[in-house]
Amino acid sequence: MGPGTEPSEAPGEASEGTVYLDHNATTPLAPEVARAVQDALCQAWGNPSSSHPAGRKAKELVGSARESLARMVGGRPEDIVFTSGGTEANNMVIHTACRHFQESQAGPGDSRGVPHIVTSSVEHDSIRLPLEQLVKERRAGSPGHCQASCQTAGLVSGLAEATFVPVSPRSGQAEVDDVLAAIQPTTCLVTIMLANNETGVIMPVAELSLRLRALNQQRAAEGMPRVLLHTDAAQMIGKGHVDVQELGVDYLTIVGHKFYGPRIGALYARGPGTTTPLHPLLFGGGQERNFRPGTENTPMIAGLGQAAELVSKNWEAYEAHMRDVRDYLEARLEASFGKQRIHLNSHFTGSKRLCNTSNFSILGPGLQGRRVLACCKRLLASVGAACHSEKGDRPSSILLSCGIPYEVARNALRLSVGRDTTHTDVDLAVQDLVQAVAQLDQDQAL
C-alpha cells in the first residue's frame, strides 16, 4: 500500500480498530523487508566468514545490503559498519573520539588536557547518558567544569568533559553560533542530532559542518586537535533527504526500525580507520574489519538493506504523503478543539521540522498527556520519547529545554504519522481525542 491510499493499516501496524500514530517510536516492518528477512533466514543461513557456498551466499547478501545503505546516505560501501542499533553506534562514536584524542597526544609527558565533547540539551538518551556517565564517574579530586548555563559536564576518570548546549526557545534548534562558542582547545567531537524525536525540529547540521571545517583549518595551524562531527540521523532517514556529502559529517547514525526496517542499525564513518578514526567497543572474531566483531546477523542486515532500498527509491513520495497527513491532523485538531485550546509545541519560528511529527498540548486542567491517552479507545500514540514512558506526568525535559511552559508541556502529546496513515485515520484519532477530553472535562467538573 503506497502513500495516499485508503484505507490505512499496513500489515502488522496495529490491531483492528486502532490507529497507530507513534511512528517516531518504531515503525512496522515493510512487507518487502519482512520477505527479505524471511528469505535470508531460509536461504542465507551460512556464516559469512565461511568459504563454502552457504557462507559465500551470506557474505554476498551482507555486501549487497552495505551497498544499499551507502547509496541511501550518499556514502561508499566501505563507510558502512553494521551495529546492533543506534545506541551502539552513538556510543562507538563517543568512545572513538575520546580514544583518538588520547592517542593523538605526543607522549606520556605531553598532556594538553582531557578530551571535550559538545552536544545539545535535547539529544537522545543514547548520546546524553553516555556523556552523563562520564561526568558521574569523575575521578576523585578532579575539579568539575561548568559552562555559563551550568548544563554541562565534568571529568571522567581524567578522560573526558562534555558541554550540553541549550537549544534556542525561538527556533528549537541548537544554534550554530552557540555550538561553536562551546568549543574549547581540547574539544574532539561535536554531536548534534539531525532531527529531534519529540519536536521534529531539524538541526542546522550542514551549516555547522561548514563553519566547523573553517575552524578546523585554523586549529590545525595552531596545533590543536581536529573536531570531529557526528549526527544521529535516526529520525530523519525515510522522512527527508539525507546525504552525508551535503551534511559534511564524519559520522552518521542509522537506525533501521525508524524507517520500516528491523531493529538493527549501522554507523556511517567517512573513511573509517583512515580519513576518520573509528575504534571498536567490542573485540572478537574480526568481522566488520574489526570495527564491530561478532558473526553478522545476516537476516536482519538483509532486511535493513531492503528498507534502505525503499527509502532511496521512494523518500520523496513518503515525505510528501506524511506532510499532507500531518498538516491535515493539525488542522483537524484546531477545528475540533479551537485554536485557543491547542498549543502546537513543535512550531518554531524559522525552523524546519520532520514531515510526520506533531507535538501539541490540549490546554486545560486535568488533561495531562498520559491521562488523555489512557481515555482513548483507538489512538495509539505517546507523550514523548518511548524510552521515557515510565516517567509519569513529569513534563518532557526536551519540551522544557525548548522553552515550552511547564503546565503546557505536561499536557503534551506526540503524534507521528507513517507512510500508510490516511485522512480517515486522522479523523478517527481526533474523534477519539475529543471523546477522551470530554470525559476528562466532565470528571474535572464533578
Side-chain angles (χ1 to χ4, degrees):
M1 199 179 302
T5 55
E6 306 258 356
S8 79
E9 206 161 305
E13 183 162 330
S15 59
E16 187 176 355
T18 62
V19 179
Y20 183 77
L21 297 182
D22 203 18
H23 291 83
N24 282 8
T26 199
T27 54
L29 282 183
E32 300 92 333
V33 172
R35 284 195 294 271
V37 172
Q38 178 66 25
D39 289 347
L41 281 167
C42 297
Q43 301 170 19
W45 46 265
N47 189 320
S49 297
S50 298
S51 58
H52 50 62
R56 289 199 300 271
K57 184 175 181 61
K59 185 175 182 178
E60 289 170 4
L61 193 152
V62 170
S64 176
R66 198 185 310 278
E67 291 174 358
S68 295
L69 263 73
R71 187 159 45 247
M72 178 179 70
V73 298
R76 305 171 303 167
E78 56 265 36
D79 296 332
I80 301 297
V81 177
F82 292 111
T83 67
S84 63
T87 293
E88 181 185 339
N90 288 345
N91 275 262
M92 185 183 292
V93 170
I94 292 170
H95 166 77
T96 289
C98 291
R99 182 171 169 184
H100 178 68
F101 180 92
Q102 294 159 356
E103 291 183 351
S104 68
Q105 309 280 335
D110 177 18
S111 179
R112 60 168 80 103
V114 296
H116 172 248
I117 295 171
V118 177
T119 189
S120 82
S121 62
V122 297
E123 296 297 310
H124 189 268
D125 278 356
S126 57
I127 290 291
R128 181 179 63 84
L129 291 179
L131 295 177
E132 288 185 353
Q133 185 68 17
L134 296 180
V135 177
K136 181 179 175 182
E137 295 179 358
R138 179 168 47 189
R139 182 171 58 187
S142 295
H145 175 75
C146 188
Q147 302 293 324
S149 66
C150 284
Q151 295 195 37
T152 58
L155 303 177
V156 186
S157 299
L159 296 179
E161 292 182 336
T163 298
F164 293 81
V165 175
V167 295
S168 164
R170 179 188 62 82
S171 66
Q173 294 179 335
E175 300 283 4
V176 173
D177 286 342
D178 294 338
V179 173
L180 293 175
I183 291 176
Q184 303 173 12
T186 54
T187 301
C188 61
L189 175 69
V190 171
T191 173
I192 302 292
M193 63 185 2
L194 193 49
N196 185 262
N197 51 310
E198 292 194 28
T199 64
V201 169
I202 296 172
M203 301 294 174
V205 173
E207 180 188 350
L208 175 60
S209 171
L210 286 174
R211 300 275 299 277
L212 194 57
R213 192 175 306 158
L215 178 62
N216 273 331
Q217 291 176 350
Q218 178 183 336
R219 287 169 67 94
E222 298 173 3
M224 288 191 288
R226 167 185 166 199
V227 180
L228 299 162
L229 179 59
H230 166 249
T231 190
D232 181 346
Q235 291 295 339
M236 189 68 173
I237 291 174
K239 304 168 190 170
H241 186 51
V242 177
D243 186 299
V244 293
Q245 307 306 324
E246 294 176 8
L247 291 171
V249 294
D250 298 297
Y251 309 99
L252 180 140
T253 294
I254 299 167
V255 181
H257 74 101
K258 305 296 188 181
F259 58 98
Y260 291 75
R263 287 177 185 166
I264 64 165
L267 177 67
Y268 160 85
R270 182 163 52 89
T274 55
T275 305
T276 301
L278 188 62
H279 295 287
L281 286 170
L282 306 173
F283 296 88
Q287 294 86 352
E288 291 297 288
R289 293 154 288 163
N290 280 314
F291 295 128
R292 207 288 182 176
T295 303
E296 296 90 342
N297 190 347
T298 308
M300 296 300 106
I301 289 173
L304 189 63
Q306 181 59 57
E309 284 294 318
L310 292 174
V311 168
S312 294
K313 294 173 182 175
N314 302 307
W315 72 265
E316 290 175 301
Y318 295 154
E319 182 183 33
H321 170 73
M322 287 187 279
R323 177 174 287 109
D324 170 73
V325 175
R326 189 274 315 277
D327 291 348
Y328 179 73
L329 166 65
E330 293 184 345
R332 290 288 293 117
L333 286 168
E334 290 185 337
S336 298
F337 291 100
K339 289 187 177 182
Q340 299 305 313
R341 202 175 187 189
I342 292 290
H343 187 278
L344 297 171
N345 302 321
S346 48
H347 283 208
F348 292 91
T349 303
S351 294
K352 296 180 180 179
R353 58 177 170 141
L354 292 173
C355 61
N356 78 319
T357 305
S358 180
N359 193 306
F360 63 93
S361 297
I362 304 171
L363 304 181
L367 297 182
Q368 292 87 353
R370 198 171 306 277
R371 296 189 67 194
V372 172
L373 286 179
C375 289
C376 287
K377 303 295 191 293
R378 293 177 178 268
L379 176 61
L380 305 179
S382 64
V383 297
C387 46
H388 295 163
S389 60
E390 76 288 349
K391 293 190 176 180
D393 286 334
R394 281 183 289 167
S396 160
S397 61
I398 302 297
L399 294 183
L400 295 177
S401 295
C402 292
I404 304 298
Y406 185 94
E407 291 302 320
V408 175
R410 275 214 313 175
N411 289 17
L413 295 168
R414 182 192 69 181
L415 272 53
S416 45
V417 307
R419 298 173 187 174
D420 297 282
T421 310
T422 66
H423 287 197
T424 300
D425 291 327
V426 168
D427 290 336
L428 291 171
V430 172
Q431 180 183 359
D432 204 18
L433 285 170
V434 168
Q435 169 269 323
V437 169
Q439 178 181 332
L440 289 171
D441 282 346
Q442 183 177 12
D443 292 346
Q444 188 74 18
L446 295 178

